[in-house]
Amino acid sequence: MVREILLEKIQKVLAESFGLADFVPEIQQTKPDFEGDFTVVTFPLVKVLKKSPDIIATELGDKILSEVDSVENYNIVKGFLNLKLKDNVFLQSFKNLSENLEKITPKNETIMVEYSSPNTNKPLHLGHIRNNLLGFSIANILKEEGYNVIKTQIINDRGIHICKSMLAWEKFGNGATPESTQTKGDKLVGNYYVEFDKHYKAEIAQLKEQGMDEETAKKQAPSILEAQKMLLDWENGDEKVRNLWEKMNAWVYAGFAETYKRLGVDFDQVQYESQTYLLGKDLIKEGLDKGVFFTKEDGSVWCDLTDEGLDEKLLLRGDGTSVYMTQDLGTAVGRFADNDIQRLIYTVGNEQDYHFQVLFKILKKLGYSWAEHLYHLSYGMVELPNGKMKSREGTVVDADDLMQEMYLTAKEKAHELGKLEALTEEEKEKSYEIVGLGALKYFMLKVDPKKKMLFNPEESVDFNGNTGPFIQYAYARIQSLLKRAEGTDFNFSENIALSENEKELIIALSEYKETVSKAAAALSPAHLANYVYEVVKLYNAFYQNNPILNNENEDVKKFRLYLSQLTGVVIRKSLHLLGIGVVDRICLLYTSPSPRDGLLSR
């Protein structure tokens, strides 16, 4: 807000005194080594005004000083114009801050955000965690930016992969249920998917020993032929197959619900591919009638995208069964038909970049104008530094196992370093969960979505550095401070001098809304995660260098308490948009605070 007000006034000076009505100057915070609060970069004006940077800076500085009453003085360093503002500018911005933090300007646009979208043949894994956290946070950020948001997932509940786990359960399950085996439903079904794969590979090996080549063996193995028949039976409505499918999917849905609840994500709508693939088949017929698609000799249906720089894409197999693209076409059309949405964002890993290129181009070929407003939020894969938490075959990290690992890591650190006696058992358990999952979420979200990331559980649960617990701890320290000052009002006189720490913190707090806008525009929670980390660092520097409760000046004390309270609000709101919880009391001093972090005990 301080920056915006100053920018507006400087633009007015440029328009009225220099004839530059449309010029937007670049304004940065002045670097710590130089005197001033904001710096105007004059070099872009050199070509326009045909003068040296120093002359431009001097002329502009004189005009600003005479016409902008909020500027106290200026200095010039190698063409950079450094402006020092009067304290009342910061105080006025601070007074407006509380109201502006809660203000949301509604936008007349509804955006649907899809995330998670799992298969019902296995439990959620590490990749799903990044997916869910990204999608859920983006939805929160878009809401804070004023958009109407519909959070959705499409459950991949049909197809050959689903039939594989069904077939294996039928053959080897002996009637096993989640209850009889004391196994979470999605994990039980996932176990039979693995069981299918084990038997399928054994059959391939046996066929190869009999002289069959590998590709033919993969197609002729009895297990895959049975699974393909089961898929056909499912599509033809076979009662026995359908009943088994409904039973096993119900187990999986119950398991997913548990995982989502602990992860802290939810959905406004849920779609199922078993309901949308038929609409997709209708679209294939429509595309054939329009000449957009073509049929090959085996009866399969394709779309030729070679003129778009892509290739030919299969849309329907020769036996009439659908593929992923079929149901994705149907799902997209159904979503726009059933909802008044203007944009649709797919949160899906970057291994599906090509798939979405093709999907969007086919929808455009079919004549859907809204296809221009589809967006693939493509994110990089997550890797681990070691195999400590890897499940069954050493390739998949189970989401439930990872969340439990984070909880246990937080608990272990708490017990190692102590200072828990002030908390009840219930408060301790709540703290372990919030801190552990906060560490996981923040570590995932502070990295730009487009980048591949290395997730280190031990590093993420650290009270120093750019981590969730570091930020959560700062929030708890603020709440502790406010509790000790309970009953103190925040009505302070404006006749107080501000320290550099206070001005820097006010500037940072005033940029909360702008940061939300940047995160919404870029569809990147990383903007917000790294912003709140910077806010906490600035608050810690302020806290370290500016006495609060023991300050002799009552107005200064009240102001600093109010500044602390609003900092807490910004931290809480930022973490909320990231899907991260806070605790008001943390007696878990996991490590001695590092001097660079400014967490000095008072």
Side-chain angles (χ1 to χ4, degrees):
M1 188 182 301
V2 179
R3 189 196 306 267
E4 285 76 9
I5 293 170
L6 181 62
L7 176 61
E8 186 179 333
K9 290 181 177 180
I10 293 175
Q11 281 185 286
K12 186 178 179 184
V13 169
L14 287 169
E16 293 178 355
S17 301
F18 295 85
L20 301 175
D22 300 321
F23 188 83
V24 180
E26 182 182 347
I27 298 179
Q28 307 169 345
Q29 270 189 259
T30 303
K31 294 181 179 179
D33 297 339
F34 300 98
E35 182 187 356
D37 299 307
F38 289 96
T39 298
V40 182
V41 182
T42 61
F43 298 99
L45 289 164
V46 171
K47 283 188 178 180
V48 182
L49 298 178
K50 303 190 184 308
K51 296 178 182 179
S52 72
D54 279 351
I55 291 174
I56 293 171
T58 301
E59 292 178 355
L60 181 58
D62 287 340
K63 282 292 182 183
I64 289 172
L65 198 59
S66 65
E67 297 181 24
V68 181
D69 58 5
S70 57
V71 176
E72 188 173 286
N73 57 54
Y74 75 85
N75 66 82
I76 299 165
V77 180
K78 296 180 179 179
F80 291 94
L81 175 60
N82 301 321
L83 304 174
K84 183 172 179 58
L85 306 187
K86 295 176 182 177
D87 283 356
N88 66 351
V89 178
F90 294 95
L91 288 170
Q92 188 56 50
S93 173
F94 176 71
K95 287 206 163 187
N96 294 334
L97 186 58
S98 180
E99 180 184 343
N100 289 326
L101 280 175
E102 303 302 331
K103 188 177 179 182
I104 296 177
T105 304
K107 293 180 172 59
N108 188 28
E109 184 175 349
T110 299
I111 303 174
M112 179 175 279
V113 182
E114 178 202 289
Y115 53 95
S116 195
S117 304
N119 297 327
T120 57
N121 64 322
K122 54 190 174 183
L124 303 177
H125 54 66
L126 177 60
H128 286 113
I129 286 185
R130 190 178 196 192
N131 182 299
N132 275 271
L133 296 180
L134 275 173
F136 184 73
S137 181
I138 286 298
N140 285 343
I141 290 167
L142 290 171
K143 282 183 186 176
E144 183 76 358
E145 186 66 359
Y147 294 100
N148 299 313
V149 177
I150 300 173
K151 296 173 292 184
T152 191
Q153 66 167 325
I154 176 75
I155 296 183
N156 304 306
D157 63 339
R158 60 163 300 283
I160 191 68
H161 51 299
I162 311 299
C163 291
K164 289 176 181 179
S165 54
M166 290 165 58
L167 185 64
W169 182 87
E170 202 171 46
K171 283 187 168 187
F172 315 114
N174 296 316
T177 68
E179 293 75 24
S180 70
T181 60
Q182 295 295 295
T183 306
K184 195 161 166 276
D186 52 339
K187 296 188 192 302
L188 181 68
V189 173
N191 290 341
Y192 286 104
Y193 183 67
V194 174
E195 192 69 20
F196 174 92
D197 191 59
K198 184 173 71 174
H199 285 272
Y200 177 45
K201 285 177 178 175
E203 290 171 354
I204 293 170
Q206 187 176 13
L207 290 173
K208 286 171 69 178
E209 285 177 7
Q210 295 171 6
M212 193 177 287
D213 66 87
E214 185 168 359
E215 283 306 308
T216 305
K218 285 180 178 179
K219 294 176 183 177
Q220 295 301 319
S223 289
I224 198 67
L225 294 175
E226 287 180 90
Q228 289 168 349
K229 181 181 183 304
M230 182 176 274
L231 178 60
L232 277 171
D233 289 342
W234 183 93
E235 293 206 5
N236 291 326
D238 181 276
E239 186 176 357
K240 181 185 173 186
V241 171
R242 286 283 179 141
N243 287 340
L244 176 61
W245 170 77
E246 287 177 2
K247 177 168 67 176
M248 293 183 70
N249 274 352
W251 296 342
V252 175
Y253 300 150
F256 286 170
E258 285 183 46
T259 306
Y260 291 143
K261 183 177 180 181
R262 187 170 191 183
L263 192 58
V265 302
D266 58 16
F267 306 90
D268 302 309
Q269 292 183 7
V270 178
Q271 281 116 9
Y272 301 89
E273 286 199 358
S274 56
Q275 297 170 1
T276 62
Y277 87 103
L278 290 174
L279 177 54
K281 284 190 169 185
D282 291 340
L283 289 173
I284 304 305
K285 184 178 183 305
E286 177 189 324
L288 284 169
D289 293 341
K290 289 181 176 179
V292 175
F293 307 146
F294 68 95
T295 305
K296 290 191 174 181
E297 290 181 3
D298 64 354
S300 58
V301 180
W302 298 71
C303 181
D304 185 0
L305 295 170
T306 52
D307 59 337
E308 304 272 1
L310 303 175
D311 59 8
E312 294 181 350
K313 183 64 182 177
L314 174 67
L315 301 177
L316 209 62
R317 298 187 186 95
D319 62 5
T321 57
S322 59
V323 294
Y324 274 122
M325 187 60 70
T326 321
Q327 44 243 25
D328 279 355
L329 289 167
T331 302
V333 172
R335 284 171 171 169
F336 277 87
D338 297 340
N339 301 279
D340 182 18
I341 57 176
Q342 285 69 56
R343 275 196 281 165
L344 172 54
I345 298 167
Y346 295 88
T347 310
V348 182
N350 58 15
E351 77 279 7
Q352 294 295 326
D353 284 353
Y354 185 77
H355 175 86
F356 283 99
Q357 273 186 282
V358 171
L359 174 64
F360 298 166
K361 287 187 181 297
I362 291 175
L363 287 165
K364 287 176 187 176
K365 279 183 173 290
L366 288 171
Y368 293 102
S369 58
W370 44 256
E372 297 288 344
H373 306 292
L374 302 176
Y375 182 81
H376 174 207
L377 174 53
S378 173
Y379 62 88
M381 295 296 98
V382 187
E383 295 179 359
L384 287 168
N386 57 57
K388 182 170 110 177
M389 292 184 296
K390 293 183 179 180
S391 65
R392 54 183 185 257
E393 298 176 331
T395 57
V396 177
V397 180
D398 183 87
D400 296 316
D401 292 346
L402 180 55
M403 287 191 284
Q404 184 65 10
E405 180 83 9
M406 298 305 298
Y407 157 82
L408 291 173
T409 302
K411 185 173 183 176
E412 181 184 353
K413 282 182 174 283
H415 282 283
E416 280 177 7
L417 298 159
K419 304 213 176 182
L420 291 166
E421 53 278 357
L423 297 180
T424 66
E425 284 303 315
E426 185 179 349
E427 287 173 330
K428 290 176 189 178
E429 289 297 319
K430 181 180 179 183
S431 293
Y432 306 149
E433 185 77 2
I434 292 175
V435 172
L437 291 188
L440 169 64
K441 294 176 181 183
Y442 185 82
F443 206 94
M444 289 280 183
L445 293 173
K446 73 177 182 180
V447 178
D448 185 273
K450 294 181 179 62
K451 294 181 180 177
K452 181 174 72 173
M453 67 170 296
L454 182 71
F455 177 68
N456 186 327
E458 187 70 24
E459 184 183 326
S460 70
V461 184
D462 191 338
F463 267 55
N464 292 317
N466 191 4
T467 66
F470 173 71
I471 295 165
Q472 289 172 316
Y473 182 60
Y475 178 83
R477 290 290 296 267
I478 290 171
Q479 302 317 302
S480 175
L481 172 70
L482 295 173
K483 188 167 183 62
R484 282 187 282 155
E486 203 165 16
T488 305
D489 67 71
F490 295 149
N491 295 317
F492 60 90
S493 165
E494 291 192 22
N495 297 319
I496 57 174
L498 297 180
S499 68
E500 290 304 310
N501 293 136
E502 289 166 327
K503 289 193 283 187
E504 287 174 351
L505 185 54
I506 289 171
I507 291 171
L509 296 178
S510 71
E511 292 177 344
Y512 167 76
K513 301 295 280 187
E514 181 186 349
T515 304
V516 171
S517 296
K518 285 179 180 176
L523 297 180
S524 174
H527 284 285
L528 197 61
N530 290 289
Y531 161 78
V532 71
Y533 171 59
E534 293 301 322
V535 167
V536 166
K537 287 200 298 181
L538 289 172
Y539 180 80
N540 290 339
F542 153 75
Y543 182 82
Q544 179 179 348
N545 296 308
N546 299 270
I548 302 176
L549 292 180
N550 60 353
N551 199 296
E552 294 179 359
N553 186 315
E554 194 66 20
D555 281 323
V556 172
K557 173 183 170 181
K558 289 179 178 180
F559 167 72
R560 288 177 178 172
L561 283 170
Y562 197 8
L563 181 59
S564 297
Q565 188 220 34
L566 285 189
T567 302
V569 171
V570 167
I571 294 172
R572 177 178 50 77
K573 286 177 71 68
S574 298
L575 290 180
H576 169 73
L577 296 184
L578 299 172
I580 297 173
V582 294
V583 287
D584 292 342
R585 297 176 63 210
I586 296 185
C587 296
L588 317 177
L589 300 185
Y590 287 17
T591 82
S592 298
S594 167
R596 65 184 168 79
D597 295 324
L599 283 170
L600 300 184
S601 195
R602 282 176 177 263

